[in-house]
Amino acid sequence: MKPIYFDNNATTPIAPEVLDEMLPYLREFYGNPSSMHTFGGHLHRKIEDARAKVAALINAEPEEIIFTSCGTESDNTAIMSAIESYPQKRHVITTRVEHPAVLNFCKHLARKGYRVTFLPVDKPGRLDMDTFLKAVDDDTAIVSIMYANNETGVIFPVAEIGEILRERKMPFHTDAVQAVGKIPINVKELPVDMLSLSGHKLHAPKGVGALYVRKGTRFYPYIIGGHQERGRRAGTENVASIIGLGKACELAKEHIDKEADYFKRLRDRLEGALLKLCPDVQINGDTENRLPNTTNMSFKYVEGEAILLRLDEYGICASSGSACTSGSLEPSHVLRAMGIPFNAIHGSIRFSLSRYNTEDEVDKVIEIMPLIIKELRTLSPYGKVILSKQSF
Ligand code: PLP
């Protein structure tokens, strides 16, 4: 059965056009792009084509793009590069709501003796700019703040932060893994020095990513070995996936405005209907400033896992902000940092859409979700109290 897939912030399906472009490079063109012969040299040109397409999506120069193995590697590389480039500086600034790719790397640096500031957010998940301004000091080696949050979709004021840091001549990295391909990004106008993206969030395969490094930014490689990527990232290139990432970026650039409108319309329809049909529901995150494909909703007095399991029986994929289904044993660190009460965190569900979702799929969720919530509340002691006071 084809799933109704509303978990696109976790990963996206590979676009058919992307797969078609990749297959010859998994079958017949298996050469090494570093080889002298034409069979390999041809691949070098294909990699450069892909680099130009990735660059075009964010309006960068091709030589500012370094291919990596994933968003996590791009994030780790950016932070480590600044640490190595400014060895006398011992302070790193990030937020409490970053993806583990940044958060856990910064915790690792803290264990190594670096001073790390984890900036708080307010209830809608927005950065407190005053705390940010107070945190920046001459000892700061790097500021790493995400472009958009993977759980709530909340978009951060990256341009404003970047302006401040540019004046202070401090390196700024943004994890834009969830933003690239969903909303337009133009690095010519955005004061960031480094920006991470990941293939599998925009209909390219897993296992490929890229790091944008602005010309003139001090850079130190994280993976050291051969001369690939002009010595900035060693290791024989993942040729087919890089070609796939190039194609995915080309498609995203071509359709980004239309697609953003499309999944916003579907997301708003889903969200609006569920708010109306299910009592005691709240949206988590700043609804004014969100990715157009994401909604994070708390269905109070029920467990997120229980909702997911019931949805799964209908072939509907989503994810929850609580406990083990999100891959960790802890309730979402993002929702906790936002001060969302535990009873709401435990019932939180993220729906994240893509170009491949349809209105019919949205309507199916609108039909099923209120039934699931009602049924689960009937089973839970808190839910029973609520149901006795309200009717669906
Ligand atoms: N950063 C953010 C905001 C993400 O959402 C993710 C993946 O979910 C990553 C980084 C890590 O990307 P990857 O899975 O390619 O390592």
Side-chain angles (χ1 to χ4, degrees):
M1 188 176 72
K2 184 175 168 281
I4 296 181
Y5 189 75
F6 282 139
D7 201 12
N8 289 280
N9 285 10
T11 197
T12 58
I14 299 181
E17 301 91 328
V18 168
L19 187 62
D20 287 347
E21 197 92 359
M22 289 173 63
L23 282 176
Y25 300 92
L26 290 166
R27 289 194 177 120
E28 55 264 51
F29 302 118
Y30 52 80
N32 187 323
S34 299
S35 296
M36 285 298 286
H37 44 70
T38 323
F39 189 60
H42 158 70
L43 299 180
H44 178 73
R45 277 195 305 281
K46 290 298 291 186
I47 290 176
E48 292 316 304
D49 283 354
R51 198 185 307 283
K53 289 174 184 165
V54 174
L57 177 59
I58 57 170
N59 201 21
E61 299 301 320
E63 58 274 22
E64 293 176 317
I65 300 297
I66 302 172
F67 288 117
T68 64
S69 69
C70 58
T72 302
E73 186 193 320
S74 300
D75 287 341
N76 283 210
T77 302
I79 297 169
M80 207 55 211
S81 167
I83 295 280
E84 295 274 12
S85 300
Y86 299 93
Q88 71 286 7
K89 302 198 176 200
R90 306 287 297 171
H91 181 214
V92 174
I93 298 179
T94 188
T95 78
R96 289 186 196 167
V97 295
E98 298 297 314
H99 185 273
V102 169
L103 196 66
N104 287 344
F105 194 72
C106 288
K107 286 182 184 167
H108 165 75
L109 291 175
R111 283 192 295 273
K112 291 240 166 222
Y114 286 87
R115 188 161 58 88
V116 183
T117 303
F118 296 95
L119 297 169
V121 294
D122 64 8
K123 198 128 201 217
R126 294 170 307 207
L127 194 68
D128 178 346
M129 287 302 282
D130 284 341
T131 323
F132 162 68
L133 284 172
K134 281 186 202 133
V136 180
D137 59 29
D138 290 339
D139 194 34
T140 307
I142 177 94
V143 176
S144 180
I145 293 180
M146 66 195 335
Y147 200 108
N149 187 269
N150 43 303
E151 293 191 27
T152 60
V154 171
I155 297 173
F156 283 85
V158 169
E160 198 184 332
I161 295 165
E163 289 301 343
I164 294 163
L165 293 172
R166 189 168 273 186
E167 251 172 54
R168 307 270 310 250
K169 296 190 171 45
M170 268 170 203
F172 179 30
H173 163 250
T174 187
D175 173 353
V177 163
Q178 289 294 344
V180 172
K182 292 178 188 147
I183 50 174
I185 292 181
N186 177 354
V187 292
K188 294 265 183 319
E189 288 172 1
L190 192 70
V192 300
D193 302 303
M194 291 180 277
L195 179 148
S196 303
L197 63 100
S198 172
H200 72 109
K201 310 291 183 180
L202 71 152
H203 305 291
K206 296 163 188 64
V208 65
L211 178 66
Y212 156 80
V213 181
R214 185 181 296 281
K215 246 182 251 172
T217 303
R218 281 198 211 175
F219 185 78
Y220 197 91
Y222 189 49
I223 297 194
I224 295 170
H227 58 272
Q228 292 90 353
E229 298 297 290
R230 298 194 184 108
R232 295 178 298 177
R233 198 278 187 184
T236 302
E237 298 87 339
N238 181 353
V239 179
S241 295
I242 288 174
I243 291 170
L245 178 59
K247 183 66 186 174
C249 288
E250 185 180 62
L251 291 173
K253 184 172 163 59
E254 208 176 311
H255 302 298
I256 199 159
D257 292 329
K258 209 172 61 208
E259 282 183 359
D261 286 349
Y262 176 69
F263 41 63
K264 180 176 185 311
R265 188 166 58 76
L266 293 191
R267 190 271 316 267
D268 290 351
R269 179 187 174 100
L270 175 68
E271 196 176 77
L274 294 184
L275 281 173
K276 210 157 80 203
L277 294 170
C278 307
D280 280 299
V281 177
Q282 71 180 45
I283 298 172
N284 300 315
D286 180 8
T287 52
E288 296 297 304
N289 230 339
R290 255 188 321 172
L291 291 174
N293 79 319
T294 308
T295 179
N296 187 311
M297 306 181 85
S298 281
F299 299 84
K300 291 185 203 160
Y301 318 112
V302 274
E303 289 292 328
E305 281 101 337
I307 303 173
L308 287 187
L309 289 175
R310 293 291 287 122
L311 284 173
D312 197 45
E313 286 167 21
Y314 291 94
I316 300 166
C317 308
S319 66
S320 98
S322 65
C324 6
T325 42
S326 53
S328 101
L329 293 172
E330 293 287 309
S332 154
H333 69 282
V334 174
L335 301 183
R336 271 186 296 152
M338 289 160 65
I340 308 282
F342 272 87
N343 69 349
I345 295 182
H346 282 298
S348 70
I349 296 288
R350 178 188 69 187
F351 295 103
S352 47
L353 284 66
S354 85
R355 68 172 74 124
Y356 298 114
N357 289 122
T358 65
E359 221 154 271
D360 283 352
E361 290 178 330
V362 167
D363 289 346
K364 181 90 184 158
V365 178
I366 293 173
E367 183 196 321
I368 285 164
M369 195 67 180
L371 303 177
I372 291 177
I373 299 300
K374 186 171 182 182
E375 175 202 308
L376 292 175
R377 282 187 181 153
T378 314
L379 298 174
S380 99
Y382 291 121
K384 275 193 193 126
V385 176
I386 300 305
L387 281 174
S388 67
K389 292 186 187 147
Q390 290 163 333
S391 61
F392 279 76

